[in-house]
Amino acid sequence: MRHVLSVMVENQAGVLTRVAGMFSRRGYNIESLTVGTTENPKISRMTIVVEGDAHVIEQVAKQLHKLIEVIKVSDITKEEYIDRELVLIKVHAELSQRGEIMQIVDIFRARIVDLGAKSLVVEATGDQGKISAIEASLKPFGIKEMVRCGKVAMVRGVKSKVE
């Protein structure tokens, strides 16, 4: 089962290396990892997606807590949370195809962020299913390049992961 971990860490150089190194040393595979500062510039939030059963996730959490820079580890998989991913897709686009591509972009509430002589760059945000669907919809035109970030997630409501 895929688990989404929200890990609050001190915003210091080398923390990402220590966290990623812990996963590597223990043989746990990270499906995705995003990190960024929070409303408090001294704290960063890592959103880590990892595959494993309850025992594996418990071991991951225990190992993370051993790192001095880790403030809090929360498995938010079973809570109500909001998640998003971002993708930039450079798609082959002849003039005759642009109307059809723009319709797909509208359907997915995405945006065209760059226009080339024979290409468009589409930006889309959404859950994993939406991102996979727009990728599949644009694939027949010829995807020239694509970059997709990992999941960012936050628990719904007034609960805070720092408390």
Side-chain angles (χ1 to χ4, degrees):
M1 180 179 171
R2 298 173 88 208
H3 289 263
V4 179
L5 302 178
S6 179
V7 182
M8 307 306 280
V9 297
E10 294 175 12
N11 188 12
Q12 298 177 354
V15 174
L16 177 59
T17 301
R18 290 176 53 87
V19 169
M22 184 285 297
F23 276 85
S24 176
R25 283 189 305 278
R26 302 291 176 180
Y28 302 129
N29 185 37
I30 297 172
E31 285 192 24
S32 78
L33 186 152
T34 57
V35 61
T37 57
T38 64
E39 68 285 355
N40 181 345
K42 294 181 180 177
I43 298 174
S44 292
R45 178 192 308 256
M46 293 182 174
T47 304
I48 303 171
V49 179
V50 61
E51 179 82 28
D53 59 21
H55 177 71
V56 168
I57 301 306
E58 182 183 336
Q59 292 303 309
V60 166
K62 285 180 180 176
Q63 294 300 319
L64 286 171
H65 279 297
K66 288 182 180 177
L67 300 176
I68 294 168
E69 300 90 349
V70 172
I71 299 166
K72 183 165 178 124
V73 179
S74 303
D75 182 357
I76 63 172
T77 308
K78 293 183 179 172
E79 297 188 44
E80 284 192 41
Y81 66 91
I82 303 162
D83 68 350
R84 295 288 183 271
E85 293 182 14
L86 167 74
V87 66
L88 296 173
I89 303 172
K90 186 182 293 180
V91 61
H92 182 78
E94 296 289 337
L95 284 175
S96 61
Q97 300 172 309
R98 291 187 179 193
E100 192 176 349
I101 293 170
M102 290 170 78
Q103 285 180 338
I104 292 169
V105 168
D106 285 344
I107 289 169
F108 286 98
R109 295 185 189 159
R111 299 184 323 152
I112 295 172
V113 293
D114 189 52
L115 181 65
K118 292 185 176 183
S119 66
L120 298 171
V121 177
V122 176
E123 171 192 278
T125 58
D127 63 21
Q128 186 176 20
K130 177 181 173 181
I131 300 302
S132 295
I134 194 168
E135 178 187 345
S137 298
L138 294 174
K139 196 172 247 176
F141 298 98
I143 294 176
K144 299 174 98 175
E145 193 174 354
M146 186 175 94
V147 60
R148 185 172 174 168
C149 81
K151 183 184 299 262
V152 293
M154 178 181 284
V155 173
R156 291 182 182 268
V158 294
K159 288 170 72 176
S160 170
K161 286 292 137 192
V162 181
E163 297 170 356

